[in-house]
């Protein structure tokens, strides 16, 4: 077991009016073919003393360029995942400092339009593409070390998804 701590983190399931969820493709994590890959939900670190609800809206603004959302649900538990050793060995900075992430997940209703989603809003964008997906697709889109969390999120927030 690693002596490194978990990093506190918030995650967002951003639902549009049709009950679909925003997923974005990481620009810095290659897939098996060496191209950009790693589809994921917006997520990010929590600053010391930061309110979790404010943190998730801040992360949306930083990662996808908009905070036009309202929180509609919160997962009751903190969920954890561990980084695979090859991420730290490959220079992935966060994986060098932390063993994994301890996450508080929120479901949010998107109150904007697709034009409000701006991956280029940050000078160092984390994502290079985004799309709306069915909630049940999440586990298959996720990198393997996040898959169990995405399965739990799909179960826990199924009542908010499109039928």
């Amino acid at each position: 077991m690693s002596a490194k701590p978990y990093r506190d983190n918030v995650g967002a399931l951003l639902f549009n009016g049709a009950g679909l969820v925003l997923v974005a493709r990481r620009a810095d994590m290659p897939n098996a073919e060496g191209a950009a890959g790693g589809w994921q939900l917006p997520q990010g670190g929590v600053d010391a003393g930061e309110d979790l609800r404010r943190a998730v809206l801040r992360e949306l603004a930083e990662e996808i360029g908009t905070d036009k959302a309202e929180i509609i649900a919160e997962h009751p538990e903190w969920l954890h995942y561990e980084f695979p050793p090859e991420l730290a060995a490959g220079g992935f900075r966060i994986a060098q400092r932390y063993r994994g992430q301890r996450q508080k997940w929120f479901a949010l209703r998107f109150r904007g339009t697709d034009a409000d989603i701006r991956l280029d809003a940050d000078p160092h964008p984390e994502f290079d593409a985004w799309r709306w997906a069915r909630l049940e697709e999440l586990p298959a889109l996720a990198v393997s070390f996040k898959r169990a969390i995405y399965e739990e999120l799909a179960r826990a927030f199924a009542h908010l998804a499109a039928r």
Side-chain angles (χ1 to χ4, degrees):
M1 184 166 295
S2 173
K4 293 188 238 179
Y6 284 101
R7 177 181 181 230
D8 282 350
N9 188 283
V10 289
L13 285 93
L14 185 63
F15 286 90
N16 69 10
L20 301 174
V21 178
L22 181 136
V23 293
R25 187 176 62 193
R26 288 192 65 109
D28 63 348
M29 187 175 294
N31 64 22
E33 293 78 39
W39 288 89
Q40 71 176 51
L41 300 165
Q43 65 176 56
V46 177
D47 297 330
E50 185 176 23
D51 176 81
L52 297 176
R53 291 172 169 259
R54 286 195 180 122
V56 74
L57 291 171
R58 175 185 53 75
E59 282 297 329
L60 282 177
E62 289 175 6
E63 292 190 351
I64 65 167
T66 187
D67 63 356
K68 292 184 177 184
E70 66 176 325
I71 295 171
I72 55 174
E74 178 179 338
H75 194 280
E77 300 170 3
W78 286 86
L79 303 176
H80 299 73
Y81 70 83
E82 298 200 8
F83 294 123
E86 60 269 16
L87 281 184
F92 194 64
R93 186 180 52 84
I94 293 172
Q96 292 173 339
R97 292 184 55 205
Y98 299 97
R99 72 186 286 179
Q101 304 212 69
R102 180 178 92 117
Q103 300 181 301
K104 179 54 91 165
W105 283 92
F106 296 90
L108 302 98
R109 180 74 58 214
F110 185 47
R111 295 296 182 199
T113 67
D114 286 3
D116 293 317
I117 297 170
R118 298 282 315 270
L119 301 182
D120 61 352
D122 187 276
H124 305 288
E126 187 169 332
F127 302 117
D128 64 3
W130 70 274
R131 69 179 180 94
W132 296 109
R134 292 185 330 275
L135 184 63
E136 61 269 16
E137 286 181 78
L138 293 181
L141 295 173
V143 293
S144 61
F145 60 94
K146 293 183 182 181
R147 197 158 293 138
I149 285 182
Y150 282 27
E151 289 169 350
E152 170 59 22
L153 296 173
R155 278 190 299 273
F157 295 114
H159 64 287
L160 300 173
R163 297 282 181 244

